[in-house]
Amino acid sequence: MVKPSDLIRLPRHVAIIMDGNGRWAKRRAFPRIMGHRQGVKTVRSTVRLCRELNIPVLTLYAFSQENWGRPRAEVSALMDLLYDYLKSELDEMLGNQISLRAIGQIDRLPERVRTCLLDTIERTSSNTAMILNLALSYGGRAEIVGAVRRLAQKCLSGTLNPEDIDEAMFASNLDTAGLPDPDLLIRTSGENRLSNFLLFQSAYSEFYITPVLWPDFDKEELFKALFEYQKRERRFGLTNEQHSESCTAKGF
Ligand code: FPP
C-alpha cells in the first residue's frame, strides 16, 4: 500500500474523467444507474482524500455536453444524483473549507439543479482550502468558442485591440479563469481519449490512464496516480538541462 507520508510534491490541480460507471454496473448485471450511484460514493471519497492531501483544485468531469444525448431516464437519474450530492455535501464543504465551482453550460441544467448548484457555489464561495470544480454540461470546444466570442465582442466594441490578445488573456476568458492548469489528468476505465475535456488547459498536463472503473477508484488507486505523477519529469518543451536551470532559478 502506498503511504500518504510518501506523498510530496503533489499536483496543484487534479482533473478526472470519471468513466466506467456503466461497465461497473453491467458486470454485476445491475441497471446503469447503480453504477452512477456507486460513482457518487467514489466522488465523495475522492474529494475527501484530495482535501486531506491539501490538493488545491480538483476538477471532476461529471456531465459532458454529449451526455444530454443519453436515454432520458439516465439523464434524469444523473441530475437527481447531482442534486442529492449537492444537498448532502454542503455541510462537509462548509466544514472542510471547500469552495464549489462549476464549468460548462450551467443554464442547460434543470432549474431545480441549477438553483441548488448556484446556491451551493454562493454559500461556499469564501472557503479557501480547496476548490471542487464540477464540469457540468461541459464541452471543451464550446468553452473555447465562448471565449473567442467574448474577445471578438470586446474587439468589435473597441475596448480591445486584437494585437493585445495573448494566451493569458485567452485563458482568463475560459470558464476556468483564475484556476491553474491541471497538472495531472486522470482517466478511469482505460479509454485513451480526452473526450472534449479541458482542451486548452491540458496542454502540458500529465495523463494517467487506468483500467480501473470509476466506482472502484479508491484511495490506493488515487495514490498510485499521484505517485506516477511524481515519477514523471515535466520539462514543458525544454531540454533536460534547460529545465533544471529554470527550476534552480525559480528556487525549486
Ligand atoms: C461515465 O460513466 C460517467 C458519467 C457519464 C457520469 C459521471 C457521474 C457520476 C460519477 C455521478 C454524478 C456526479 C456527481 C458529481 C454527483 P459511463 O456511464 O460512461 O460508463 P461506461 O462508459 O462504462 O458506460
Side-chain angles (χ1 to χ4, degrees):
M1 167 83 179
V2 170
K3 287 196 225 81
S5 56
D6 298 332
L7 292 168
I8 43 154
R9 219 169 42 81
L10 289 163
R12 279 194 307 162
H13 183 172
V14 175
I16 309 183
I17 302 177
M18 309 182 287
D19 197 11
N21 295 347
R23 270 160 285 176
W24 185 92
K26 196 171 176 195
R27 281 181 196 173
R28 290 161 179 79
F30 292 159
R32 291 178 58 82
I33 179 65
M34 294 285 283
H36 294 313
R37 247 181 234 148
Q38 202 62 31
V40 176
K41 290 188 187 166
T42 308
V43 167
R44 245 179 225 123
S45 58
T46 304
V47 171
R48 225 167 255 169
L49 265 171
C50 288
R51 175 66 192 90
E52 279 169 24
L53 293 168
N54 280 324
I55 289 173
V57 185
L58 172 66
T59 296
L60 299 177
Y61 204 2
F63 194 85
S64 72
Q65 263 187 348
E66 291 74 23
N67 288 153
W68 290 115
R70 291 198 174 195
R72 198 193 294 205
E74 184 170 341
V75 171
S76 163
L78 280 167
M79 291 299 136
D80 287 348
L81 283 177
L82 175 61
Y83 180 83
D84 292 346
Y85 173 78
L86 294 171
K87 286 274 176 211
S88 67
E89 295 314 284
L90 177 64
D91 284 347
E92 180 152 341
M93 286 186 210
L94 293 172
N96 286 334
Q97 281 293 309
I98 297 173
S99 169
L100 184 72
R101 258 184 85 156
I103 55 173
Q105 298 181 334
I106 302 309
D107 49 347
R108 285 188 74 185
L109 297 174
E111 204 198 321
R112 179 177 78 111
V113 178
R114 192 177 61 240
T115 306
C116 179
L117 176 72
L118 295 176
D119 181 57
T120 312
I121 290 174
E122 164 73 33
R123 290 169 76 174
T124 60
S125 61
S126 56
N127 292 347
T128 51
M130 175 176 147
I131 293 172
L132 169 60
N133 184 33
L134 295 182
L136 295 166
S137 187
Y138 176 84
R141 286 183 176 177
E143 183 193 30
I144 289 171
V145 169
V148 170
R149 275 207 193 117
R150 273 190 283 280
L151 291 168
Q153 282 296 347
K154 288 180 199 163
C155 291
L156 267 179
S157 66
T159 55
L160 178 64
N161 180 351
E163 311 253 306
D164 293 335
I165 300 174
D166 58 13
E167 290 180 17
M169 183 187 288
F170 192 82
S172 71
N173 279 273
L174 293 169
D175 294 358
T176 48
L179 299 180
D181 286 341
D183 300 298
L184 172 63
L185 198 153
I186 298 171
R187 179 164 190 151
T188 59
S189 97
E191 247 71 66
N192 293 286
R193 287 192 292 274
L194 205 41
S195 295
N196 208 8
F197 187 47
L198 301 177
L199 298 181
F200 185 88
Q201 300 88 335
S202 64
Y204 286 101
S205 303
E206 291 295 328
F207 286 11
Y208 177 83
I209 295 166
T210 169
V212 172
L213 305 177
W214 176 248
D216 295 325
F217 190 80
D218 58 10
K219 183 176 183 170
E220 174 96 38
E221 296 301 330
L222 177 65
F223 283 174
K224 274 191 210 161
L226 295 171
F227 264 99
E228 175 64 33
Y229 168 80
Q230 290 172 330
K231 279 196 286 183
R232 307 239 182 119
E233 190 190 5
R234 304 181 78 201
R235 292 193 273 122
F236 300 94
L238 302 178
T239 65
N240 239 335
E241 293 70 25
Q242 284 176 311
H243 182 58
S244 306
E245 273 168 31
S246 138
C247 286
T248 313
K250 288 178 188 155
F252 296 152

